[in-house]
Amino acid sequence: MTLFCGIDWAEGHHDLAVVDADGKLMAKKRINEDVSGFAELTDLLTELGDTAEEPIPVAIETPRGLLVAALRATGRPVFAINPMAVARYRERHSVSRTKSDHADAMTLANILRVDAHMHRRIPADSDLAQAVAVLARAQQDAIWRRTKASNELRAMLREYYPTFLEAFAGKSATNLASSDARAILAIAPTPAIGATLSKARIAAALRRAGRTRYVDQTAADIKTALREPQLRQPTLVEDAFGRQALALLASLDAACVGVDDLGAAAADAFRRHPDYAIITSFPGLADSTGARMLAEIGDDRARFADARALKAYAGSAPVTRASGRSISVTYRRIKNDRLAAVGWLWAFIAATHCEPAKVHYRRRREHGDRHSTALRHLFNRMLGQLYHCLQTGQPFDETKAFHQPTDTRGEPVAA
């Protein structure tokens, strides 16, 4: 008998339902997410005929968590169904939009019964690849928190301490996440204190922050910048801003430490992965970006049917809408945002440091693409090459990868 199991995941408990090929409810149960609850689940499935040779497939609304990990360890096929898709399926049977945990479990089971071929199993990534994914995503989250904390601190400093921002202004904007800026702000949170700092105290703070070169010259420049005249807030207000700055600085310090620690851990795990040599053979993919790339595409070679599926998942492939005489090609908005973010960075670095990639980028610009579109086109092309290299086990070869196509007359054409 062909059976399908649906599990409605929740924080406190999980509702499960098992249906047969005709949609008839065979069993239902509510379990807890603990050892005894999982034992109840496996016992129920075994009673219904679940075996190692013919396991009952399971549909659930999340691809992560202890329950999913335990189910995957048993070898059962597990399908992670998008909650938005589940909501659309639910509306097929309930126009009143009623909802219950048991009904959702039934809906998930029926999704597998009717449309299992339209959904993908959770990929069978190795434990090392999953560990890289945890660390790389955590580092990316830490980077985003660092950016958020830095922007909040910068916005506040503009209200009362513009000379500090000018003291650490680079070519485009102030880098408050640098160790130098954080070290000086810690000892000079207000303009009044900053104007009294001596060169020796500034130099000592820079050394504690890790600076080893040009310490005295940098300290002298900072001292001069902090003593530049500026508009001032009232003393009490300025002191209050200083206390707030120290609080925001603590958050920024924690985010910076998290970025460094998680980045080192992710890179160490990534270097031990078999795909490390292939991924890092591509221009623009090193330990950090390569780890984030592996985290999102995994190492299950059967995860994507072809390169086009991977490109659609990354959002680099455009969406074509055709209806009658109307045809439009637009940017793909439904995608893996993490993979798209590292892809943009990958393409930007490659277009800057790899001559064939730079030529491809310029050709797309001359073709009429805007900067972001040209980078996305470059990412789309290189992602297809990465898929091919991972499938065939060969490193990147730029002489083959960026061979420019020609027309029938031998003239180069836009890729």
Side-chain angles (χ1 to χ4, degrees):
M1 180 184 297
T2 303
L3 299 176
F4 307 90
C5 177
I7 299 179
D8 180 64
W9 181 92
E11 183 175 348
H13 58 265
H14 311 305
D15 283 79
L16 63 95
V18 181
V19 301
D20 63 11
D22 296 324
K24 179 182 177 181
L25 178 65
M26 303 300 296
K28 68 176 183 178
K29 196 175 188 63
R30 173 170 288 185
I31 63 173
N32 296 321
E33 188 170 346
D34 52 22
V35 176
S36 61
F38 185 72
E40 293 177 24
L41 169 60
T42 54
D43 290 343
L44 176 62
L45 295 179
T46 302
E47 292 174 4
L48 294 173
D50 178 77
T51 63
E53 293 75 20
E54 295 185 5
I56 297 176
V58 177
I60 193 169
E61 289 179 290
T62 177
R64 59 182 62 87
L66 291 174
L67 180 62
V68 174
L71 285 170
R72 293 180 62 187
T74 64
R76 291 181 177 84
V78 182
F79 295 77
I81 312 297
N82 189 297
M84 295 183 65
V86 177
R88 301 291 82 77
Y89 274 97
R90 188 191 305 123
E91 292 175 356
R92 294 172 59 185
H93 305 283
S94 176
V95 294
S96 63
R97 297 187 178 182
T98 58
K99 184 182 184 303
S100 69
D101 294 341
H102 170 64
D104 283 352
M106 283 282 293
T107 301
L108 286 162
N110 281 304
I111 289 175
L112 286 189
R113 180 178 67 88
V114 177
D115 290 328
H117 63 286
M118 298 294 294
H119 298 276
R120 294 185 305 171
R121 294 176 54 174
I122 294 180
D125 293 329
S126 66
D127 292 345
L128 181 56
Q130 294 180 58
V132 172
V134 171
L135 294 170
R137 290 169 181 168
Q139 189 214 13
Q140 191 172 39
D141 290 338
I143 291 174
W144 289 337
R145 287 194 298 270
R146 182 183 65 183
T147 301
K148 179 177 181 292
S150 179
N151 289 340
E152 288 181 350
L153 182 57
R154 184 180 184 277
M156 194 198 63
L157 290 174
R158 290 184 67 249
E159 296 188 33
Y160 83 105
Y161 206 172
T163 53
F164 185 87
L165 296 177
E166 290 296 328
F168 293 93
K171 295 181 179 180
S172 57
T174 305
N175 183 15
L176 293 177
S178 67
S179 57
D180 288 354
R182 290 184 285 123
I184 301 304
L185 184 59
I187 62 174
T190 65
I193 299 176
T196 63
L197 289 182
S198 64
K199 176 182 173 181
R201 190 177 179 191
I202 296 175
L206 293 176
R207 290 190 177 93
R208 287 195 302 271
R211 175 174 282 274
T212 58
R213 302 180 62 188
Y214 309 112
V215 176
D216 292 335
Q217 181 60 47
T218 304
D221 294 340
I222 293 174
K223 175 184 175 182
T224 301
L226 292 181
R227 297 192 178 192
E228 288 290 328
Q230 67 158 65
L231 298 177
R232 299 281 292 272
Q233 294 276 5
T235 302
L236 290 177
V237 177
E238 188 175 274
D239 292 341
F241 272 121
R243 293 295 296 271
Q244 185 184 6
L246 292 177
L248 292 178
L249 179 62
S251 299
L252 180 58
D253 286 338
C256 291
V257 172
V259 169
D260 295 339
D261 291 347
L262 291 169
D268 179 66
F270 177 47
R271 283 191 289 267
R272 292 185 277 114
H273 195 277
D275 292 340
Y276 174 80
I278 295 176
I279 294 176
T280 54
S281 67
F282 281 77
L285 290 181
D287 288 354
S288 178
T289 51
R292 288 164 62 182
M293 184 63 62
L294 175 65
E296 301 311 320
I297 66 177
D299 59 1
D300 182 1
R301 296 292 184 259
R303 180 175 186 177
F304 302 101
D306 50 28
R308 294 179 62 185
L310 174 57
K311 293 175 180 180
Y313 181 68
S316 61
V319 176
T320 301
R321 294 182 175 89
S323 177
R325 297 182 179 180
S326 174
I327 299 178
S328 65
V329 181
T330 58
Y331 168 62
R332 186 181 296 269
R333 298 185 181 277
I334 306 301
K335 60 185 182 299
N336 182 319
D337 291 333
R338 292 182 183 273
L339 184 53
V342 70
W344 191 92
L345 183 62
W346 175 20
F348 181 83
I349 297 173
T352 304
H353 299 286
C354 176
E355 188 60 31
K358 185 185 300 184
V359 171
H360 179 87
Y361 168 80
R362 289 175 178 171
R363 187 164 61 246
R364 294 305 309 178
R365 292 285 282 165
E366 294 170 357
H367 186 65
D369 288 351
R370 302 181 65 178
H371 171 67
S372 58
T373 306
L375 283 182
R376 188 164 59 249
H377 191 281
L378 177 59
F379 170 45
N380 188 63
R381 179 165 182 170
M382 298 183 72
L383 188 60
Q385 296 163 2
L386 176 61
Y387 176 85
H388 173 75
C389 289
L390 289 174
Q391 292 291 331
T392 58
Q394 59 179 311
F396 174 76
D397 185 351
E398 67 179 32
T399 59
K400 298 179 181 178
F402 290 97
H403 175 69
Q404 186 175 0
T406 57
D407 58 18
T408 55
R409 296 173 298 176
E411 297 292 332
V413 297

